[in-house]
Amino acid sequence: MKDLLLALMVLCSAIAPAAENATEKLPVRRVVLYKNGVGYFEHAGRVHGDQDLRIEFTSSQLNDVLKSLTVLDLNGGRITGVGYNSVAPLSEQLKSLRLPLDETTTLESFLSALRGARVQVRSGAAVTSGRLLSVEQKIAKRPPNEDIKTLELSVITDAGEVRNFPVTPALGVQVADRDLSEEISRYLNLVGSARNQDLRRMTISTAGSGDRNIFVSYISEVPVWKSTYRILLPAKAGAKPLLQGWAIVDNTVGEDWKDVELSLVAGAPQSFIQELSKPYYTRRPVVALPGMAMLTPQTHEGTMAEEKDAENNGPVSASPPPAPSPAKPMAKARARVSFEPESAGRAASVADAMERNESIVAAEGQDLGDLFEYNLKEKVTILKNRSALVPIINAHVEAEKVTLWSAASPRPLRALWITNSSGLTLDSGPFNVIENSAFAGEGLIDPLKPKERRLLSYALDQAMRVDRKDDMESRPVTRLRIARGLMVQTSERRDHQTYTLRNSDVQARDVVLEHPVRPGWKLAGDVKPEETSASTYRFRVHAPGGQTTTLKIDEVEPLEQRMAVSNITNDQITYLASGRAIKPEVEQALRRILEQKNQIAALDQQMQQRRSQIDAIDKDQQRLRENMKALKGSPEEKALLQRYTKELNDQEDQLAAVRAEIKSLEAKRNDARAQLDRMAQELTLDEKL
């Protein structure tokens, strides 16, 4: 027997290394990180013959890997399969147990699941054996109005006696059923192992002959990489500041990154999560068993729609982003930059080092449509669950030290008016400024394209004070235009804003004043801004040390009033004439238009009088007809009918005459209106006052 065991041990020791070597790890060679929390990974290696390769992932990675995995045998072999350890949800695994327990089982529900099982209850030195009958919750009252909840076990002893035991810390319950104890152990093992299922191992099986190259790529969820910058201001006048850019990279995936080609993409291509790695269980209808065994079997109507598992319905959007194309090599020789710490107070040596430091690009950049990619020149090593700072920019840039004042921030700020001359797009992130070998302040930078200019504020300027005063005035009509029957009067409001700047320092300041751009207002005068943004004008003001400087900005808001020339009134003509807004001949033309307008009004009044006369005759005729109806059968009927008939005939003659007069008046009015329109259309004027 001992010989047999020894032989088995030797056999296992001989087989184990072969099994371990049969599946080799495929290392990661290239990593591209994006700003939307995904990374693009490339693995490369060699296989011989029929060989399996493995890649380790975390559970959070697997969903992205399954929807983006690409595997290529580059030398004529083939990929026979890809497998990975699937993990069913804990809720589904617990269904295989005989005990009705879930992931959040409490003591009460656990004891209730043991009903009917043989147990031994130990209370002090006494031990009671029997079967568990029930678990009940008891509520006891404690003064003044406090409820105390306790549990109580009911056990039927082997002698048939019902015993009750309050559940206290001193009470012990042991399951005497061996099979049930194993079920409890299985439950605890499942709950405990659920915390250790984060590692997923994917096996890639290949088939072929000889040595071959294997390529694997996929995307995976990763932490967002961050940018951070340092701006070192030179002590020597005329020297350019040094800009250092760093990227903070976190490796939280299941693989070490050893000597990988790292690229950082400033942009966020669309991506999404779909839980493909999680086994999906559909919901089936429950069909009840027949109530009696003698009934004839029958079918039952199915549900119209299945229930959907909310956990397994992931959002759907666009396809995963394509892999970025390799960067084109730059003509400049590759170089490594190292920075040694300097002791405090050695500003001169730091300045000398800045002068000697050439603009060495730590990463090559290229545009990818709306994205920008940093390709690091040197390979990097970042072990899993570790983070690192990697250099992306080390270059001299053009920058001017100024003081920035804006109405949105009434305290003046020290700022750099920087031009991105690094040749690379600067990603958004924090920056800090080093001046005279000391920390001078920090701020935030938005994405900055090459050659783009931007103000970066980083500290308060306590030596500058800025005060602003407004002087608003309204001016009368400044321009009068008449054309095509329309009169436009233009007036304006003027806003005179005076900025007073006091520099308490002995050194002069170049101050950048941000003046708001207001809709409808335009700058007036000779003062021009140095640049204009979407919401502000930026004026440069030189503030000598220990002096007060002023800047006056004039703005104009044009106001227009429009009206039809034919609607002009006598008061308006008098106002324009008194202000010399119109020449005498124009005034005469406007008064002729006014006379024509009055003639039309007189014709309208005459027509209205005629229509009122017609209404009066109509009412009188209605009265006569009513009277004629009332006379039927009366002695006076004959005499009065003759009288009323004569009156009606006379009124009809009057109506005909009045209607003829109205028709004549309407024709005259139409002619007068046409004449008024011609007069208004022929009058033209464009006078600046």
Side-chain angles (χ1 to χ4, degrees):
M1 186 66 175
K2 292 182 179 179
D3 295 338
L4 178 60
L5 291 175
L6 181 60
L8 289 174
M9 292 174 62
V10 173
L11 179 61
C12 291
S13 63
I15 293 176
E20 179 67 24
N21 292 334
T23 305
E24 293 187 357
K25 199 169 185 179
L26 189 62
V28 60
R29 297 301 186 196
R30 182 166 179 252
V31 177
V32 182
L33 303 180
Y34 295 83
K35 281 290 187 178
N36 63 341
V38 299
Y40 171 79
F41 295 84
E42 290 181 359
H43 294 249
R46 293 181 65 81
V47 295
H48 180 80
D50 299 344
Q51 186 177 345
D52 291 345
L53 301 170
R54 77 176 188 274
I55 303 176
E56 293 180 350
F57 305 102
T58 62
S59 296
S60 61
Q61 287 183 270
L62 194 56
N63 289 317
D64 287 323
V65 172
L66 292 178
K67 66 181 173 64
S68 62
L69 182 68
T70 301
V71 185
L72 299 175
D73 191 319
L74 302 178
N75 300 107
R78 67 183 187 278
I79 307 300
T80 59
V82 177
Y84 61 95
N85 55 318
S86 179
V87 179
L90 180 60
S91 59
E92 296 296 332
Q93 297 182 61
L94 293 177
K95 291 180 181 179
S96 63
L97 300 177
R98 288 185 295 150
L99 290 173
L101 301 176
D102 57 24
E103 303 175 44
T104 58
T105 295
T106 62
L107 176 61
E108 181 180 0
S109 59
F110 175 74
L111 293 176
S112 298
L114 299 179
R115 291 177 57 189
R118 289 192 57 79
V119 295
Q120 288 184 345
V121 181
R122 184 180 300 274
S123 180
V127 178
T128 303
S129 298
R131 292 183 178 274
L132 182 61
L133 177 63
S134 64
V135 180
E136 297 182 14
Q137 188 178 91
K138 301 292 185 179
I139 300 178
K141 295 289 186 180
R142 176 182 294 179
N145 291 317
E146 185 179 0
D147 293 340
I148 304 299
K149 297 180 180 180
T150 59
L151 292 180
E152 187 175 271
L153 294 181
S154 297
V155 177
I156 298 180
T157 66
D158 294 339
E161 181 183 3
V162 178
R163 298 282 305 275
N164 296 328
F165 301 91
V167 178
T168 64
L171 185 72
V173 180
Q174 182 179 358
V175 179
D177 190 334
R178 181 177 178 181
D179 292 340
L180 200 55
S181 296
E182 293 178 354
E183 282 289 290
I184 296 173
S185 297
R186 285 185 60 199
Y187 168 75
L188 296 176
N189 289 335
L190 287 175
V191 174
S193 63
R195 294 189 293 269
N196 302 319
Q197 295 173 352
D198 187 56
L199 186 64
R200 301 294 186 91
R201 177 171 295 177
M202 178 171 286
T203 302
I204 301 173
S205 300
T206 67
S209 60
D211 293 332
R212 305 182 311 280
N213 293 319
I214 296 296
F215 172 85
V216 176
S217 69
Y218 53 86
I219 67 168
S220 170
E221 183 179 29
V222 293
V224 176
W225 70 274
K226 287 85 68 179
S227 301
T228 176
Y229 303 93
R230 296 93 174 95
I231 303 176
L232 286 74
L233 299 182
K236 184 182 295 185
K240 292 184 178 181
L242 179 65
L243 172 68
Q244 284 188 357
W246 297 81
I248 302 174
V249 180
D250 308 290
N251 180 8
T252 59
V253 300
E255 291 277 348
D256 291 334
W257 299 347
K258 294 183 178 180
D259 293 329
V260 301
E261 298 178 8
L262 181 61
S263 297
L264 307 172
V265 177
Q270 183 169 292
S271 186
F272 60 91
I273 296 175
Q274 195 170 54
E275 294 185 348
L276 299 177
S277 65
K278 186 176 181 180
Y280 182 80
Y281 296 87
T282 187
R283 296 292 180 255
R284 296 176 295 164
V286 177
V287 180
L289 293 174
M292 297 178 59
M294 297 301 294
L295 291 177
T296 302
Q298 54 183 309
T299 59
H300 298 270
E301 187 176 358
T303 58
M304 292 296 295
E306 295 180 347
E307 294 182 10
K308 293 184 178 179
D309 189 348
E311 295 182 357
N312 293 310
N313 289 336
V316 178
S317 94
S319 318
S325 57
K328 297 181 180 179
M330 296 181 66
K332 183 178 291 187
R334 295 170 57 171
R336 183 186 299 274
V337 182
S338 62
F339 302 94
E340 298 180 357
E342 299 287 345
S343 60
R346 300 179 60 188
S349 60
V350 173
D352 293 340
M354 288 179 58
E355 289 298 320
R356 295 193 303 270
N357 196 337
E358 298 179 0
S359 295
I360 302 174
V361 181
E364 297 175 351
Q366 65 172 346
D367 286 315
L368 301 175
D370 294 333
L371 314 178
F372 187 84
E373 180 180 23
Y374 301 95
N375 293 319
L376 272 68
K377 286 190 169 184
E378 303 294 336
K379 293 184 178 180
V380 300
T381 295
I382 307 176
L383 303 182
K384 60 183 177 182
N385 298 322
R386 299 291 298 272
S387 301
L389 274 170
V390 294
I392 54 176
I393 294 175
N394 190 73
H396 289 287
V397 294
E398 298 175 6
E400 181 183 2
K401 189 176 177 181
V402 297
T403 294
L404 174 65
W405 186 91
S406 174
S409 178
R411 293 297 301 274
L413 302 174
R414 295 300 270 167
L416 293 176
W417 215 341
I418 186 172
T419 300
N420 181 15
S421 54
S422 67
L424 301 176
T425 295
L426 303 185
D427 185 38
S428 60
F431 71 90
N432 61 69
V433 177
I434 306 298
E435 185 177 12
N436 297 327
S437 298
F439 172 72
E442 60 185 359
L444 295 173
I445 182 173
D446 287 332
L448 196 63
K449 293 290 185 180
K451 303 300 181 182
E452 188 177 357
R453 195 183 189 197
R454 188 73 56 81
L455 277 166
L456 306 178
S457 61
Y458 60 89
L460 283 175
D461 188 345
Q462 301 186 20
M464 286 298 305
R465 294 291 182 271
V466 179
D467 181 60
R468 182 180 67 171
K469 292 184 178 179
D470 283 357
D471 183 13
M472 187 81 69
E473 65 169 325
S474 297
R475 292 196 173 187
V477 177
T478 59
R479 184 179 181 184
L480 182 64
R481 288 173 293 166
I482 300 176
R484 298 181 180 179
L486 182 66
M487 183 169 64
V488 180
Q489 300 180 58
T490 302
S491 59
E492 65 180 29
R493 287 194 300 170
R494 285 186 174 263
D495 190 4
H496 309 288
Q497 301 195 38
T498 302
Y499 292 90
T500 304
L501 298 82
R502 173 65 183 175
N503 183 7
S504 302
D505 198 354
V506 295
Q507 296 182 352
R509 296 280 200 274
D510 279 336
V511 182
V512 177
L513 285 173
E514 288 194 336
H515 183 77
V517 174
R518 295 181 291 178
W521 289 84
K522 296 181 180 180
L523 292 175
D526 298 330
V527 179
K528 303 297 181 184
E530 183 157 332
E531 71 175 28
T532 304
S533 68
S535 59
T536 60
Y537 300 107
R538 293 195 176 109
F539 295 89
R540 180 193 291 269
V541 182
H542 183 71
Q547 297 185 25
T548 299
T549 309
T550 60
L551 173 68
K552 186 176 181 181
I553 300 175
D554 293 332
E555 288 184 290
V556 176
E557 183 188 28
L559 303 174
E560 287 189 351
Q561 182 180 1
R562 296 170 178 264
M563 65 175 297
V565 176
S566 57
N567 293 333
I568 197 167
T569 64
N570 183 63
D571 292 340
Q572 290 172 329
I573 297 176
T574 303
Y575 171 77
L576 293 175
S578 63
R580 297 183 179 179
I582 54 177
K583 296 179 180 179
E585 56 268 22
V586 176
E587 179 186 359
Q588 303 240 347
L590 289 175
R591 294 204 177 275
R592 287 195 294 271
I593 290 175
L594 183 60
E595 291 175 2
Q596 187 71 15
K597 178 182 173 183
N598 293 336
Q599 291 180 11
I600 296 174
L603 292 172
D604 288 336
Q605 184 177 5
Q606 293 180 35
M607 287 190 293
Q608 183 59 37
Q609 291 174 352
R610 301 298 187 274
R611 292 190 181 96
S612 299
Q613 187 177 356
I614 291 175
D615 292 339
I617 294 174
D618 287 339
K619 289 181 180 179
D620 192 54
Q621 285 186 336
Q622 183 66 25
R623 178 185 62 81
L624 293 175
R625 291 188 179 93
E626 292 296 330
N627 290 339
M628 292 173 69
K629 291 179 181 179
L631 290 173
K632 288 186 177 181
S634 64
E636 300 88 356
E637 178 180 3
K638 184 176 181 181
L640 290 175
L641 282 177
Q642 290 178 355
R643 177 183 169 184
Y644 290 159
T645 301
K646 184 177 184 306
E647 288 183 13
L648 287 174
N649 290 334
D650 293 341
Q651 289 177 346
E652 286 298 328
D653 294 339
Q654 291 178 8
L655 287 174
V658 172
R659 290 191 178 102
E661 289 180 9
I662 291 176
K663 189 174 181 180
S664 175
L665 291 172
E666 286 179 345
K668 292 180 180 180
R669 186 193 181 281
N670 292 338
D671 292 341
R673 185 68 205 185
Q675 179 65 20
L676 177 63
D677 292 341
R678 284 193 298 272
M679 294 170 66
Q681 291 291 328
E682 292 172 356
L683 182 61
T684 59
L685 177 67
D686 191 351
E687 291 288 340
K688 291 184 179 180
L689 310 179

